[in-house]
Amino acid sequence: MALSPPSERIWWNVPIARTELVWIIIALIWGLVMFFMMIYWHGAGEQNLSNEAYRITPEAFQAKTQAVVDKYKVREESGIPVVKPPPGSDIYLIARLWQWWPIYELEKDKKYRIHMSSMDWQHGFSLQPVNINLQIHPGYDMVLTVQPDKAGEYGIVCNEYCGIGHHNMTGKMYVVDK
Ligand code: CUA
């Protein structure tokens, strides 16, 4: 039991029991299998996103986001700008306590590069109901290339606990059929 010291002082020289060794080997093999499945699922299961990551300061990221918002804002929803950038462009989504900013309106079947970064600490980007999940860190620009194939309203929730307002950290994204 862990609360009392091992009876043998040189405990690491005590031979491992057979059953324990078997479990260690099983766990090791399973770990290796899952490691290679991760690579396999990338292609076959359409899981494990091909995202890119770059270093960026929160100030620089905020400036890039603001530039896109200023240029392509079409309306506002409860004080949050709704932005409609041209297809094929780079768009920027800010994660901060406790908000996803701004709201984007994308066109169906068109490609966009979504950049995401945090202004403060770690948040979790979760796009619902498609279930795309990414960790968003301050200082890193996470880039995801998307081509939405279904029109509608998508919800963004933060799925990484980030403090008292975590449960209110929701956002949205629209995909429209032209
Ligand atoms: Cu941001 Cu939880």
Side-chain angles (χ1 to χ4, degrees):
M1 192 165 132
L3 289 177
S4 50
S7 51
E8 302 276 343
R9 204 179 68 82
I10 312 294
W11 54 268
W12 54 87
N13 275 346
V14 178
I16 302 173
R18 214 185 130 75
T19 44
E20 189 170 4
L21 197 62
V22 168
W23 279 115
I24 290 171
I25 292 168
I26 290 173
L28 177 72
I29 291 170
W30 187 243
L32 286 172
V33 167
M34 293 310 277
F35 175 79
F36 289 105
M37 285 304 280
M38 206 162 62
I39 300 163
Y40 168 75
W41 278 325
H42 181 90
E46 296 183 331
Q47 293 182 30
N48 303 330
L49 310 164
S50 312
N51 57 291
E52 304 155 47
Y54 306 94
R55 278 191 181 277
I56 193 163
T57 63
E59 294 73 29
F61 192 86
Q62 186 159 32
K64 285 184 174 208
T65 312
Q66 193 64 55
V68 171
V69 171
D70 291 344
K71 209 163 169 190
Y72 303 115
K73 180 178 153 178
V74 286
R75 58 178 191 276
E76 252 182 41
E77 267 181 40
S78 344
I80 298 180
V82 178
V83 184
K84 194 170 182 191
S89 61
D90 285 64
I91 64 176
Y92 298 83
L93 182 67
I94 283 177
R96 64 182 165 215
L97 302 169
W98 287 278
Q99 188 185 53
W100 296 98
W101 193 92
I103 298 170
Y104 280 103
E105 193 171 290
L106 310 181
E107 275 177 39
K108 183 177 168 270
D109 299 323
K110 296 284 161 51
K111 265 194 182 141
Y112 297 87
R113 278 164 60 81
I114 308 179
H115 297 248
M116 288 176 267
S117 191
S118 167
M119 295 295 106
D120 31 61
W121 55 65
Q122 187 179 355
H123 299 281
F125 172 85
S126 186
L127 189 68
Q128 300 297 337
V130 285
N131 205 25
I132 289 174
N133 298 284
L134 265 183
Q135 296 290 319
I136 308 303
H137 297 266
Y140 287 92
D141 178 1
M142 302 292 286
V143 193
L144 194 60
T145 304
V146 297
Q147 189 173 341
D149 57 4
K150 219 174 139 212
E153 185 184 322
Y154 294 81
I156 304 169
V157 295
C158 179
N159 63 3
E160 188 69 48
Y161 183 72
C162 56
I164 195 86
H166 163 70
H167 61 289
N168 286 326
M169 190 168 164
T170 57
K172 60 174 122 167
M173 202 174 272
Y174 294 107
V175 174
V176 292
D177 206 347
K178 214 180 173 185

